[in-house]
Amino acid sequence: MLFRSGVPGNQPEQMQRSLGSGVMVDSSGLVVTNNHVIEGADQVKISLSDKREFEAEIVLKDSRTDLAVLRLKDVTEKFPVLDFSNSDDAQVGDVVIAIGNPFGVGQTVTHGIISALARTQVGITDYQFFIQTDAAINPGNSGGALVDMTGKLVGVNTAIFSRSGGSQGIGFAIPANMVRVVVASAKGGGSAVKRPWLGARLQAVTPEIAETLGLKRPTGALVANITA
């Protein structure tokens, strides 16, 4: 994906490139990607796997889920799309495939398993739970599809834990059920995602807390405070 940004003052306009990935979720040309891929962009171009390029408009951006929905401009054809899976049915050990454009080398497919579910506090956004995978995900994979063995969308790849900047087997994807909500908001003409909100902050039950409360095991969540 490309974007153009003007430089303040009398300096000439410069072209900046932000290579990322995306998923076609509607045959009319609706694409979902990460919000951080297009953040700050005033011009976006989408390149398909057949090398065709299209200008796109930003329909909806949601920083809390790090998702953005784009629409291809001036298209009349119908595009192939990925169907959503029910990501709540995903299980640890399921085989998954990551599709994207790592380092801008071109469309690439890697495979692995779902390593963990419901990951939080991973430094992205704490609004949601993330799917963790060991499928190789590198810079440029952001916004790309994580699919199951039936070819359905399990999640949208969004971040990695890495000391080197490359894949070290710990990647995170936004679950498909959350992606579905954001896409539905965009299709409905909304410019923002409406969501329920719980006015409480929760924390994990540690062994020390479990002992204090007389619990047999450190499971569940503790209400730390409540918003007035």
Side-chain angles (χ1 to χ4, degrees), residues 126-187:
D126 288 330
Y127 178 72
Q128 61 179 307
F129 299 145
F130 292 89
I131 297 171
Q132 181 181 329
T133 178
D134 67 351
I137 296 174
N138 288 286
N141 273 111
S142 290
L146 187 72
V147 302
D148 62 20
M149 296 309 292
T150 67
K152 291 185 177 181
L153 185 70
V154 175
V156 170
N157 302 317
T158 189
I160 58 174
F161 270 170
S162 175
R163 294 179 178 176
S164 65
S167 174
Q168 292 186 323
I170 302 179
F172 298 99
I174 301 166
N177 286 355
M178 178 59 69
V179 179
R180 193 198 306 265
V181 170
V182 175
V183 171
S185 295
K187 286 183 176 180

Side-chain angles (χ1 to χ4, degrees), residues 36-88:
H36 73 259
V37 170
I38 53 89
E39 187 66 27
D42 54 28
Q43 183 184 28
V44 180
K45 288 185 178 180
I46 294 178
S47 177
L48 303 184
S49 59
D50 60 11
K51 307 303 181 183
R52 289 184 297 163
E53 285 192 354
F54 297 89
E55 289 193 4
E57 60 178 338
I58 299 172
V59 179
L60 183 150
K61 297 193 298 182
D62 187 55
S63 59
R64 295 193 67 185
T65 55
D66 192 26
L67 288 171
V69 181
L70 316 175
R71 178 178 285 110
L72 273 58
K73 293 181 178 179
D74 302 322
V75 295
T76 56
E77 65 182 285
K78 297 296 183 180
F79 297 93
V81 300
L82 279 179
D83 293 328
F84 288 94
S85 73
N86 181 0
S87 54
D88 289 344

